[in-house]
Amino acid sequence: MKNWSNIPFQPKKIPFFYGWISVFAGTIGILFSIPGQTMGISVFTDHLINALDLSRDALSFAYMIGTGASALVLTFAGIWYDRFGARLVSIGAAAGLSSALILVSYSPELVKTLSTWVPVQDSVLAFVVISFAFFAIRFTGQGVLTMASRNLMMKWFDQWRGRANMISSIFVSLGFSIAPLLLSGLIDEYHWDGAWRVMALIIACFIIFAFIFYRDNPEDCGLIPDGRLLKSRRNQAKNFQTRRQYTLKEAQKTRALWVFSGIFAFYSFFITGFTFNVISIFASFHYSEQKALAIFIPTSVIAITVSTIANLVSDYTRLQNLLFIMLAGAFMSSGGLIALGSSLGYVLFIIGNGLMAGIFTVLVSVTWPRFYGRKHLGAISGFSSSFIVMASSLGPLYFSKIFTLTGHYTVAGLIGMVIVTLLFIASFKAKNPQ
């Protein structure tokens, strides 16, 4: 393993702590998962509807099936991570994501070819093909590549985890916020299918990048987490040092795993459902499309500011305190959705989404290694990620059906406030099991 970790070069011979290169590499890995994220797929939604001749509800249902199926196997991906390490798993995920993008770019042609072999309506074949494509894209992109890249960074740090995550979060938030515009430009330049092929080629190049820079553990490279720490720094963070390395089964017996995962899942559920239906939601309150899309800019500014501060604070405080702030943001966002037609509701919605997003980027990274150790980090984070991905599969259809049944989205906000209240009550006993 040591020889593998020292190929093509030895990290311990770098003139500074290699963990910071791992932060850079992991951040790039998360950014390369954008084609598998909701904001990366939503740009192509209308193009897929037209090319495959599917209704919006049918495409949303296919998205739910593909994403939900990926969530069911994501825990196994976490086990693979613990067994094979970040480098091999990320290379495999990138190869899978690149192949999946090629597949979906040729999905109309594939449907026509299959229709000559299978005596089934084209709409049914299109639904099956795009469901499988969504599964492949979501599993490899949003699921495995994101999880492996995030865990890579966290394994290289212990007492400086918050600072490391702060640097990564800033660039990830910026990258995610401008991604829709960049993808839209690719579509204008190369058409929707050509844009996916260009991304597939770029992600294929990431395989080489991951082989060169990804390293699984500092110990395999003759190093220790954080590098060399000042004595005073050790004293400041001594209360957060991990003493026990939990297995997944042991972690599942603690309240913290379920409560934190539940709150992460609500965030994914709410934000994905909102993002997927953003134009329709704002149109129901008589806002223009420009007004709807403009909400992402101030939300990103708040999220980046909050995540920067929270990452620094996370090295010194209990993560349960940050969880309360995230829940406050979730409550504000749900309430803002109810009153979105007013100026106050509009502002509350922006602030609430920004708080949720900012704290989420901190907690989803630093919680599991602090609570349960690094030895089984892949299995535990993969288990939690399965909740997040499953929730994201349900959000778009949930919002869509509420609008179909009621003609507005107010009920979604009301139900959201009830769920957040229940999670808030449960979170009082969600303490660090260490």
Side-chain angles (χ1 to χ4, degrees), residues 86-97:
R87 178 188 265 178
L88 285 179
V89 170
S90 297
I91 288 174
L97 180 57

Side-chain angles (χ1 to χ4, degrees), residues 37-280:
Q37 304 288 347
T38 300
M39 102 285 293
I41 296 175
S42 61
V43 180
F44 295 86
T45 298
D46 290 335
H47 300 284
L48 285 173
I49 290 173
N50 295 328
L52 297 174
D53 196 21
L54 290 172
S55 67
R56 189 171 297 273
D57 281 348
L59 190 70
S60 297
F61 192 55
Y63 183 83
M64 184 189 75
I65 291 176
T67 305
S70 72
L72 295 177
V73 295
L74 197 51
T75 300
F76 297 103
I79 297 173
W80 300 339
Y81 174 88
D82 290 331
R83 181 176 300 175
F84 301 110
R87 178 188 265 178
L88 285 179
V89 170
S90 297
I91 288 174
L97 180 57
S98 180
S99 301
L101 294 176
I102 293 293
L103 170 66
V104 76
S105 73
Y106 286 105
S107 54
E109 291 82 358
L110 181 59
V111 170
K112 291 180 181 178
T113 301
L114 289 175
S115 65
T116 62
W117 299 343
V118 183
V120 178
Q121 290 183 351
D122 287 359
S123 59
V124 175
L125 290 174
F127 180 83
V128 172
V129 168
I130 198 61
S131 295
F132 177 78
F134 280 150
F135 162 76
I137 291 174
R138 298 288 278 169
F139 176 66
T140 56
Q142 185 201 27
V144 182
L145 185 56
T146 301
M147 177 198 67
S149 299
R150 185 183 290 137
N151 287 344
L152 164 75
M153 295 184 287
M154 296 302 98
K155 273 196 168 186
W156 278 84
F157 293 90
D158 183 14
Q159 298 175 29
W160 285 357
R161 229 172 244 136
R163 293 189 180 189
N165 193 55
M166 175 193 70
I167 296 171
S168 175
S169 297
I170 292 174
F171 289 99
V172 168
S173 296
L174 288 173
F176 277 33
S177 64
I178 65 174
L181 291 176
L182 294 178
L183 294 178
S184 179
L186 276 179
I187 293 172
D188 292 338
E189 184 70 22
Y190 300 103
H191 199 243
W192 71 270
D193 50 354
W196 255 321
R197 290 164 202 157
V198 170
M199 287 191 293
L201 178 61
I202 295 174
I203 292 172
C205 296
F206 172 78
I207 295 174
I208 301 174
F209 176 87
F211 174 77
I212 295 174
F213 294 107
Y214 272 44
R215 297 294 191 278
D216 299 318
N217 298 293
E219 292 85 353
D220 296 333
C221 305
L223 299 168
I224 61 173
D226 298 314
R228 294 185 176 181
L229 297 174
L230 296 175
K231 195 180 226 179
S232 60
R233 178 63 178 165
R234 289 185 182 275
N235 293 333
Q236 288 173 338
K238 64 182 179 181
N239 292 329
F240 300 138
Q241 291 176 354
T242 301
R243 297 184 297 276
R244 177 179 175 183
Q245 302 293 322
Y246 281 74
T247 65
L248 175 58
K249 288 185 177 180
E250 291 171 338
Q252 288 172 335
K253 296 177 182 179
T254 66
R255 180 187 292 262
L257 177 65
W258 298 97
V259 173
F260 275 74
S261 295
I263 294 170
F264 296 164
F266 174 81
Y267 165 78
S268 178
F269 173 83
F270 191 88
I271 292 298
T272 305
F274 157 72
T275 302
F276 208 83
N277 299 281
V278 59
I279 295 176
S280 174

Side-chain angles (χ1 to χ4, degrees), residues 3-26:
N3 291 334
W4 170 251
S5 296
N6 290 324
I7 296 174
F9 60 87
Q10 298 184 39
K12 66 180 180 181
K13 291 188 176 181
I14 299 295
F16 55 90
F17 179 50
Y18 194 80
W20 299 113
I21 295 181
S22 293
V23 170
F24 166 74

Side-chain angles (χ1 to χ4, degrees), residues 321-338:
N321 297 329
L322 298 180
L323 191 69
F324 291 142
I325 297 176
M326 184 175 178
L327 284 167
F331 196 84
M332 291 172 61
S333 188
S334 298
L337 179 60
I338 297 173

Side-chain angles (χ1 to χ4, degrees), residues 373-389:
R374 296 184 298 134
K375 187 175 181 179
H376 303 285
L377 180 59
I380 294 170
S381 62
F383 177 77
S384 176
S385 295
S386 67
F387 284 89
I388 297 172
V389 176

